[in-house]
């Protein structure tokens, strides 16, 4: 291979992480910059390009790089733009793929949203290798999804298909979601959703709980996990409720595309059986008969810190 490497860039609300990746999915050089400290996207791209030059030079220069793949919130694969991303400092439509390509001497750049990048990463380097039909659900600050049907990622006609975090799970008195609607899955089954459930339970319940020792406004999903591991009743019930709503949603997702597997990825999966058992129970209980026992429920095996960069880098092999 005359161009044995690709570059993956994962743009998060706080940090942007990048790396040079070989064909086996090994990150050989990497770095990161702060995303939020650049109010102007041109300043951001200039600093990013500086960091990219360092790792690309270590790998032997631009001639060794087949392409750059970028995973970003609200990234549109069709036009290479980030569009109206609520958690990024730049507003409106940003032609990011073009800006990065120009700043790196014309290396081709392909961009998609972060959950789609995770799905491509699973298909290229992870547990979905060899699978043609699967859904990746990312459980982080929000809930995202990448849907693969017949070996192809589903983008829809506008590039934004696959917002399963925003299916409405509670029609009556649903929680306000960051998207402005009420009752979305993301408002319950994300890391932030777990923290919200904890605050609600502590307010309406009377039992003792380790969580009462914390400032309720600062409780995180990690705090709930730590309490659950120690057998805290309220914390265990929070995971039970979170897993149940997720399992109900997954049973519906299976009815939509009959995937071989649902792959869960992101911070909340660290809770292991605490979250997996209620998901599985609710999924089985709500599954349409024709789909019973056909869809595997798996945790991603990609190391979380690497997975986003690997997923984005997989786009780099196809970048034109």
């Amino acid at each position: 291979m005359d161009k044995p490497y690709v570059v993956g860039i994962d743009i998060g609300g706080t940090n942007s992480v990048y790396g040079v990746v070989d064909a086996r999915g090994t990150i050989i050089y990497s770095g990161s910059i702060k995303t939020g400290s650049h109010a102007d996207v041109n300043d951001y791209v200039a600093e990013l390009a500086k960091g990219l030059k360092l790792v690309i030079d270590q790998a032997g220069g631009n001639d060794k790089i087949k392409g750059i793949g970028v995973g970003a919130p609200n990234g549109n694969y069709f036009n290479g733009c980030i569009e109206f991303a609520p958690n990024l400092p730049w507003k409106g439509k940003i032609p990011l793929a073009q800006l990065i390509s120009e700043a790196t001497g014309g290396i081709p750049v392909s961009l998609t949203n972060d959950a789609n990048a995770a799905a491509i990463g699973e298909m290229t380097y992870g547990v979905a290798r060899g699978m043609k039909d699967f859904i990746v659900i990312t459980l982080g600050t929000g809930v995202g999804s990448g849907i693969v049907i017949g070996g192809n990622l589903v983008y829809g006609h506008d590039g934004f298909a696959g917002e399963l975090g925003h299916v409405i799970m509670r029609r009556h008195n649903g929680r306000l979601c960051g998207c402005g609607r009420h009752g979305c899955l993301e408002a319950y089954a994300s890391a932030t959703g777990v923290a919200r459930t904890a605050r609600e339970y502590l307010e309406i319940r009377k039992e003792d709980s380790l969580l009462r020792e914390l400032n309720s406004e600062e409780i995180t999903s990690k705090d709930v996990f730590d309490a659950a591991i120690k057998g805290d009743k309220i914390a265990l019930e929070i995971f039970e409720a979170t897993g149940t709503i997720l399992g109900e949603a997954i049973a519906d997702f299976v009815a939509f595309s009959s995937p071989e597997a649902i792959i869960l990825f992101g911070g909340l999966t660290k809770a292991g059986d605490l979250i997996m058992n209620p998901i599985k129970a609710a999924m089985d209980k709500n599954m349409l008969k024709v789909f019973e026992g056909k869809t595997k429920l798996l945790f991603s095996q990609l190391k979380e810190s690497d997975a986003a960069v690997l997923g984005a880098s997989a786009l780099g092999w196809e970048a034109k």
Side-chain angles (χ1 to χ4, degrees):
M1 284 170 82
D2 54 337
K3 297 197 172 189
Y5 305 124
V6 285
V7 172
I9 305 170
D10 172 57
I11 298 176
T14 312
N15 295 310
S16 295
V17 188
Y18 50 86
V20 175
V21 179
D22 67 17
R24 285 186 156 159
T26 306
I27 299 174
I28 52 174
Y29 305 107
S30 63
S32 70
I33 64 167
K34 288 262 178 270
T35 310
S37 54
H38 303 84
D40 182 328
V41 71
N42 294 300
D43 297 340
Y44 167 78
V45 170
E47 192 187 338
L48 180 64
K50 247 194 267 177
L52 291 175
K53 183 172 174 9
L54 285 175
V55 292
I56 289 171
D57 286 350
Q58 282 177 295
N62 280 21
D63 293 346
K64 299 287 183 199
I65 306 296
K66 175 92 170 62
I68 295 173
V70 183
N74 290 41
N76 188 329
Y77 176 72
F78 290 151
N79 61 17
C81 293
I82 291 179
E83 301 189 22
F84 311 100
N87 300 325
L88 294 178
W90 326 300
K91 299 307 166 212
K93 240 172 141 170
I94 309 287
L96 197 68
Q98 182 192 337
L99 292 173
I100 291 173
S101 181
E102 287 167 0
T104 53
I107 298 174
V109 177
S110 188
L111 172 141
T112 191
N113 82 27
D114 32 8
N116 286 341
I120 294 166
E122 290 297 343
M123 192 161 46
T124 313
Y125 310 115
V127 291
R129 280 172 85 162
M131 287 187 197
K132 295 267 187 264
D133 297 88
F134 64 94
I135 298 174
V136 170
I137 297 175
T138 58
L139 303 170
T141 312
V143 174
S145 60
I147 303 166
V148 173
I149 296 178
N152 295 307
L153 205 66
V154 175
Y155 283 110
H157 79 285
D158 61 350
F160 284 113
E163 285 292 349
L164 295 181
H166 296 286
V167 295
I168 292 178
M169 296 303 295
R170 296 291 179 260
R171 291 270 165 202
H172 304 291
N173 301 324
R175 285 179 186 170
L176 178 63
C177 178
C179 73
R181 304 193 310 161
H182 288 83
C184 292
L185 179 63
E186 179 171 296
Y188 299 89
S190 58
T192 19
V194 168
R196 278 173 85 170
T197 305
R199 285 192 281 279
E200 275 180 22
Y201 277 30
L202 290 173
E203 202 173 306
I204 58 179
R205 304 273 291 271
K206 295 291 171 266
E207 301 101 307
D208 287 342
S209 169
L210 295 167
L211 297 170
R212 294 193 190 281
E213 296 165 14
L214 306 167
N215 176 343
S216 83
E217 287 311 305
E218 291 171 6
I219 286 175
T220 65
S221 58
K222 169 92 167 59
D223 295 327
V224 180
F225 171 71
D226 291 342
I229 286 294
K230 292 173 181 156
D232 186 88
K233 184 168 181 283
I234 285 186
L236 288 166
E237 285 184 30
I238 292 166
F239 276 112
E240 184 72 30
T242 305
T244 299
I245 199 167
L246 203 46
E248 289 168 3
I250 287 171
D252 286 346
F253 302 163
V254 170
F256 158 68
S257 68
S258 186
E260 181 181 339
I262 300 274
I263 299 161
L264 303 176
F265 169 80
L268 266 192
T269 61
K270 291 194 179 79
D273 284 347
L274 284 175
I275 192 118
M276 183 63 105
N277 291 342
I279 292 174
K280 185 107 183 61
M283 175 179 158
D284 291 346
K285 184 179 168 193
N286 292 280
M287 192 66 76
L288 199 60
K289 191 138 196 65
V290 69
F291 297 116
E292 279 177 3
K294 290 182 180 174
T295 299
K296 299 191 279 271
L297 190 58
L298 304 169
F299 282 152
S300 168
Q301 299 298 310
L302 295 176
K303 204 169 105 202
E304 196 189 348
S305 53
D306 295 349
V309 168
L310 285 177
S313 79
L315 276 175
W317 298 112
E318 311 297 324
K320 299 276 186 292

